[in-house]
Amino acid sequence: MDQPEGIRVSIFGQSYYLKSDASDRGYMRQVAEYVDQRMQNIASRTQTVDSFRVAVLAALHIADELMRLRLEHERLQGQVQSKSLEYAALLDEALER
């Protein structure tokens, strides 16, 4: 297993050191870039320089996105389960013939 090492990322003009396994470094950079982009976008729309306020608004936007994706995931899981049961019943019926 890879030893945790650090990567340096920049989010909203601030530098952060994140511990990460070698296999996760690219992913962690993508996450940091996503957060930075969200914060930059919100700052440009709200014309605020308060980084704490921008961070909270970005967190709310990201949490909203996460919750919507979770709801959609649950809905799709329900559809898959329903279809699986339907197909299993059809298979059982076909095998009984």
Side-chain angles (χ1 to χ4, degrees):
M1 186 167 153
D2 293 327
Q3 289 293 338
E5 291 184 21
I7 60 168
R8 196 159 297 283
V9 296
S10 179
I11 300 173
F12 205 60
Q14 295 290 316
S15 185
Y16 296 92
Y17 182 79
L18 305 174
K19 287 188 177 181
S20 177
D21 291 339
S23 62
D24 291 338
R25 286 190 197 116
Y27 173 76
M28 291 305 295
R29 284 190 199 286
Q30 286 181 318
V31 170
E33 287 173 10
Y34 183 77
V35 172
D36 182 59
Q37 288 171 359
R38 288 299 232 159
M39 289 183 71
Q40 296 292 345
N41 185 294
I42 288 168
S44 70
R45 289 186 297 161
T46 61
Q47 301 299 315
T48 185
V49 293
D50 181 359
S51 61
F52 182 77
R53 180 176 169 80
V54 171
V56 169
L57 291 172
L60 287 170
H61 281 266
I62 293 168
D64 174 57
E65 184 178 327
L66 172 65
M67 296 301 293
R68 289 177 190 272
L69 288 170
R70 282 184 175 172
L71 289 171
E72 179 67 6
H73 181 257
E74 287 175 12
R75 185 185 70 76
L76 291 172
Q77 272 188 317
Q79 285 181 343
V80 167
Q81 185 176 14
S82 175
K83 284 294 182 186
S84 293
L85 292 172
E86 180 183 335
Y87 293 146
L90 287 171
L91 183 59
D92 286 345
E93 183 181 313
L95 291 173
E96 289 175 358
R97 292 182 185 168

